[in-house]
Amino acid sequence: QVQLVESGGGLVQPGGSLRLSCAASGNIFSINTMGWYRQGPGKQRELVATISRGGSTDYADSVKGRFAISRDNAKNTVYLQMNSLKPEDTAVYYCAALGVRTWSTKDYWGQGTQVTVSS
């Protein structure tokens, strides 16, 4: 069984920074894509950023230049450095591990971590 454990959420003032981490554990051979999605109050879940096993990244337009995604393949861990945070970044942030190879290939999601940007 694969589990994703997220950490690093919290309350921050506008303009501040936070770093999210997500570690995947279990009998994992490899993970294709890892990423972060978010769901704000009254909104649908949306892509924030993804990173492939080879390091190719993709970002939502709303976070380009402010957020940076990275991963450590040896640790099956993905990070999201969030800078210049805005109130509209307030959301529950979900870690995603897509194309996880164990004895089969599946997608997995974390439980979510709350990020609140407020003065």
Side-chain angles (χ1 to χ4, degrees), residues 43-108:
K43 298 181 180 180
Q44 292 187 332
R45 190 175 298 190
E46 62 177 1
L47 167 74
V48 177
T50 60
I51 183 168
S52 71
R53 183 169 178 79
S56 297
T57 59
D58 186 30
Y59 294 93
D61 288 342
S62 59
V63 307
K64 284 181 181 177
R66 300 188 298 123
F67 290 11
I69 190 170
S70 60
R71 68 186 279 179
D72 184 332
N73 291 330
K75 296 181 179 180
N76 290 324
T77 299
V78 63
Y79 307 95
L80 185 68
Q81 178 66 43
M82 305 185 292
N83 300 323
S84 302
L85 282 160
K86 305 175 180 180
E88 51 263 43
D89 294 318
T90 295
V92 178
Y93 283 69
Y94 296 92
C95 173
L98 310 177
V100 179
R101 287 188 61 226
T102 57
W103 299 112
S104 62
T105 301
K106 295 182 180 180
D107 298 340
Y108 293 89

Side-chain angles (χ1 to χ4, degrees), residues 105-117:
T105 301
K106 295 182 180 180
D107 298 340
Y108 293 89
W109 293 83
Q111 294 291 323
T113 184
Q114 177 70 46
V115 171
T116 302
V117 184

